[in-house]
Amino acid sequence: MSNAHRQTALDALHRSLGATMTDFAGWDMPLRYGSERDEHHAVRTRAGLFDLSHMGEITVTGPAAAALLDYALVGNIGSVGVGRARYTMICREDGGILDDLIVYRLGETEYMVVANAGNAQTVLDAITERAAGFDAEVRDDRDAYALIAIQGPESPGILKAVTDADLDGLKYYAGLPGTVAGVPALIARTGYTGEDGFELFVEPRHAEELWRALTEAGAAAGLVPCGLSCRDTLRLEAGMPLYGHELTTGLTPFDAGLGRVVKFEKAGDFVGRAALAAAAERAESAPPRKLVGLIAEGRRVPRAGYPVVAGGAVIGEVTSGAPSPTLGKPIAIAYVDAAHAAPGAEGVGVDIRGAHEPYEVVALPFYQRAK
């Protein structure tokens, strides 16, 4: 039987390293290479190397590229400087979140939109449809890039050993073209782990060469290859939302506590403006459920969909949960009623298969690196 999953340019390399592979959004991706706990700790204390080539790159070019993105997305993309990046979202007309995105401004009239793997086609279709009437071209560049991330406190030193790009001058959420180990790359100071780090966009034919060069450069610093499993626990500790869990089409950015990404002050209309304005008003007068952190008092791990309870009543729902290698306890992100959302709220628990396990309510994130 043929394997219908898409494979990244690093697929053979992952298998040679003994990776446990899994289907993720239609791609064969490494889940872990050995112990996901060890991989997690490596990123927190040293550095980890990730293959993120399943992410979806969409290039938007032309005189009206900024105007198109300002109309299609909720952020003020026209105000992003060349070489900078912005976290934003694309919403439906009713305000529901289609995806969260990072948009890089590569040139005066050139932008790269990076979508989540499972939503890339949806985002591409939506931006293409919304481009009608704009002097701009929308290009599917998913096959044009491999994406390798190096994350963790040792990552700047490791990357400096193989590039002459000005990493010291590269701010968080900025990107610059450069050469890494002889490979042309877009070097971005972004990531999804809560640590300092970089994401390197390269041609797929250069991916293996770059991975090997980084592995060699990072050997003395304790760099290890990392899979999607520890990427999830790292982002969970950092309180970063995951599409399909904390973000869905059934929620607006205001429901998700991320109303700050919606820029009503930008000129002109944008898709979802009226619905989002109404959602912002509702959130002011009657706060929706709030996204909070939960830390277990016991050892049982909460999972997405488990009810959050207080006083015998359901007050919310877990969206993500896992054992936290850094805290040494199970943690969860959950939407809970505003009345129970304050840190230290009394009597809050999670219904784990009929047993109400006690949990402490905390503000997100669970973990923040020392600046």
Side-chain angles (χ1 to χ4, degrees), residues 245-261:
H245 290 255
E246 288 72 43
L247 309 174
T248 69
T249 50
L251 296 168
T252 72
F254 294 94
D255 296 323
L258 290 164
R260 65 180 181 276
V261 306

Side-chain angles (χ1 to χ4, degrees), residues 48-292:
L49 198 58
F50 296 83
D51 179 10
L52 305 179
S53 303
H54 60 315
M55 300 295 277
E57 295 86 7
I58 300 158
T59 303
V60 181
T61 56
L68 162 58
L69 290 171
D70 275 340
Y71 170 71
L73 313 180
V74 301
N76 189 347
I77 307 305
S79 68
V80 178
V82 173
R84 298 309 302 263
R86 184 153 300 164
Y87 176 77
T88 186
M89 293 184 187
I90 182 166
C91 290
R92 302 192 306 192
E93 196 66 69
D94 67 1
I97 302 166
L98 283 173
D99 202 12
D100 60 336
L101 312 164
I102 295 180
V103 180
Y104 296 88
R105 186 170 191 177
L106 303 181
E108 279 302 322
T109 59
E110 184 180 6
Y111 296 81
M112 181 169 69
V113 178
V114 181
N116 285 297
N119 295 332
Q121 189 64 47
T122 301
V123 174
L124 175 67
D125 291 346
I127 295 176
T128 302
E129 187 183 312
R130 295 170 190 188
F134 288 93
D135 186 5
E137 182 197 343
V138 181
R139 192 171 69 234
D140 179 359
D141 269 348
R142 284 176 288 180
D143 293 334
Y145 293 104
L147 176 55
I148 294 173
I150 179 168
Q151 299 279 299
E154 297 290 341
S155 57
I158 295 168
L159 195 55
K160 276 180 189 174
V162 289
T163 185
D164 55 7
D166 177 20
L167 299 186
D168 291 335
L170 188 63
K171 296 185 172 75
Y172 187 51
Y173 266 72
L176 84 171
T179 303
V180 182
V183 171
L186 171 66
I187 305 166
R189 199 164 207 152
T190 46
Y192 193 53
T193 62
E195 297 298 337
D196 192 9
F198 304 87
E199 295 183 322
L200 309 170
F201 295 85
V202 299
E203 288 182 44
R205 64 193 175 99
H206 294 313
E208 192 170 321
E209 177 189 348
L210 179 57
W211 182 281
R212 292 189 188 280
L214 289 168
T215 298
E216 195 177 317
L223 174 78
V224 301
C226 293
L228 292 182
S229 189
C230 83
R231 181 170 148 89
D232 192 49
T233 52
L234 289 160
R235 72 92 194 166
L236 183 54
E237 288 182 351
M240 295 174 166
L242 176 63
Y243 195 88
H245 290 255
E246 288 72 43
L247 309 174
T248 69
T249 50
L251 296 168
T252 72
F254 294 94
D255 296 323
L258 290 164
R260 65 180 181 276
V261 306
V262 182
K263 304 299 182 186
F264 293 115
E265 69 276 13
K266 63 180 174 176
D269 194 17
F270 61 91
V271 176
R273 182 190 268 272
L276 290 166
E281 216 167 281
R282 280 197 307 275
E284 279 289 312
S285 55
R289 282 184 164 176
K290 292 193 169 174
L291 204 56
V292 301

